[in-house]
Amino acid sequence: MTSFSPGFQGRGRRPADRLPPGQYPTEQFPVLSAGPTPKVPTATWEFTVTTERGATHRWSWEQMMALPQEDTVHDIHCVTRWTKFDTHWRGVPLDVFLAEVDTSADFAVVAGHGGYTTNLPLQDLRDGRAWLVHSYDGYPLSPEHGGPARLLVPHLYFWKSAKWVRGLRLTHEDEPGFWEGAGYHDYGDPWREQRTWGD
Amino acid sequence: MRPVPWRPARLLARSPQTPTARTLVFSVPGWPGHLPGQHVDVRLTAADGYRAVRSYSLAAPADGERVELGVQSVPGGEVSPYLADVLPVDALVEVRGPLGNWFVLRPGTLAPVLLVAGGAGVVPLVSMVRAHRAAALRGPLRLLYSVRGPDDLWYREQWADRHADFDLALLYTRVAPPGDRRGPERITARDLAAAAAALGPDGTAYVCGPTGFVESAADLLTGLGVDPATVRTERFG
């Protein structure tokens, strides 16, 4: 019946409840980064949250590690179409940092070492939906996967989970980040297949 | 902003690059053109409606409705063995693109450009070399291309046809051809030193290949003093 790709059979059909449209499952953990992998020592590591009024909150590595930690398991979805089920992470819920911050901002620009940025509604970083993670599968997060610490926002495509995270800037206006300015969707919901502009 | 649409793509020709790699040339009516370095999504549909999508790099600069892809057949892969050996000439698939606005070489670039390819990572980079050959780009261009052995070399006729301001170094990692003075080894700082120095403050490096290769080559470049902000990477596998 179909007029496309005659003879293509494909692999086993996957339960639709865990695999977002247009994704395929992988057992591997592919690496995608726009540039070289920065080496960030924990001795000088710092995580900052800067509010819309310019107030900056800071946490050193030791201070961050002393905050309440969570072990959390998620399926992650990369816009390049791989999905990895049941990834195990350890880190601090963003709620813990944001509880100390007085803000009425609607958006956050996340910055990583190496110049990477990504934007998302501040609401998506709250309510137990986002973490600053430093361990993967029981081991310290490796540099190519964003170590020593990255953001984890598993309900959005994985480019929102900025590697080598160093801070959040809270804003009233939505400001496109690195990929969002280069053609990727502003929000990036894998279940609505929001990959590129106009999706 | 309108979504990037899926377009029917008819396979015009398939040719071998290596024992496991193929060039596939499609005709895509309505294709809007693309920049060297960009890629497309290819969608296959089975008889029961099941679909699979993968990304493939464009191997040639924009040329009307003609779209050339490079496909490395991955053993046990769901899509690449089908594209490499099964899809009949004259049959249709669907493509969506062009995609990717970062790992691209803009026309008219005058500053030095360094391309570093590992294995099948040469595909988006050969598109840049071909654009340079066609004189859409004018600055000096240098390609360092790392392959396991002579049998793994893609685009042989391209490398035989040297052109002005283009410099090529083939780096063999396992088996070197007779007369190769470097000898087989993985990419080292020695291989990259002159190219890194020639980049200058305005140049850009593009590194593409398997993750381990890209990590290693990009680290070597920054170790040689190249500004990390001028190194663009694309990894696969």
Side-chain angles (χ1 to χ4, degrees), chain B residues 70-110:
Chain B
V71 176
Q72 172 70 55
S73 184
V74 179
E78 184 179 28
V79 170
S80 62
Y82 174 83
L83 289 176
D85 296 313
V86 180
L87 176 69
V89 170
D90 224 28
L92 294 171
V93 298
E94 291 172 286
V95 302
R96 179 181 192 254
L99 301 172
N101 285 306
W102 168 247
F103 198 82
V104 295
L105 188 51
R106 308 261 166 206
T109 300
L110 295 170

Side-chain angles (χ1 to χ4, degrees), chain A residues 1-14 19 21-25 28-39 79-82 114-115 143-145 163-164 178-179 181-184 193-199, chain B residues 1-4 6-9 39 41 43-48 50-55 76-79 82 86-88 91-94 96 99-103 211 214-215 218-219 222 227-229 231-237:
Chain A
M1 175 211 100
T2 175
S3 57
F4 294 113
S5 47
F8 174 67
Q9 298 184 332
R11 288 239 198 82
R13 311 308 192 239
R14 303 282 166 173
L19 194 65
Q23 296 291 110
Y24 66 91
Q28 320 208 330
F29 194 169
V31 172
L32 290 113
S33 314
T37 296
K39 307 299 186 289
V79 71
T80 63
R81 298 184 179 275
W82 56 264
E144 68 268 26
H145 288 304
K163 293 178 176 179
W164 316 298
F178 178 85
W179 287 121
Y184 281 21
E193 219 175 345
Q194 294 172 333
R195 298 177 190 276
T196 55
W197 292 345
D199 280 353
Chain B
M1 204 85 53
R2 276 186 301 170
V4 183
W6 288 103
R7 300 173 198 274
H39 63 272
D41 282 346
R43 182 161 78 181
L44 307 182
T45 305
D48 66 354
Y50 171 81
R51 284 168 163 170
V53 180
R54 297 292 187 280
S55 295
E78 184 179 28
V79 170
Y82 174 83
V86 180
L87 176 69
L92 294 171
V93 298
E94 291 172 286
R96 179 181 192 254
L99 301 172
N101 285 306
W102 168 247
F103 198 82
T211 298
V214 172
E215 286 294 311
D219 281 355
T222 55
D227 179 357
V231 180
R232 302 186 182 206
T233 60
E234 188 143 282
R235 300 157 165 90
F236 55 81

Side-chain angles (χ1 to χ4, degrees), chain B residues 103 112-130 132 139-147 153-156 158-163 165-171 187 191-192 195-196 198-199 204-209 213:
Chain B
F103 198 82
V113 171
L114 169 62
L115 312 177
V116 186
V122 73
V123 176
L125 303 183
V126 78
S127 182
M128 299 181 186
V129 172
R130 288 167 169 174
H132 186 264
L141 185 75
R142 184 183 293 227
L143 170 65
L144 277 75
Y145 178 16
S146 170
V147 286
L153 208 56
W154 298 51
Y155 308 120
R156 285 152 210 271
Q158 190 73 41
W159 315 135
D161 173 30
R162 302 298 174 90
H163 58 278
D165 284 328
F166 174 60
D167 187 51
L168 170 71
L170 297 173
L171 313 175
I187 193 166
D191 296 316
L192 287 163
L199 271 177
T204 304
Y206 295 82
V207 186
C208 186
F213 175 84

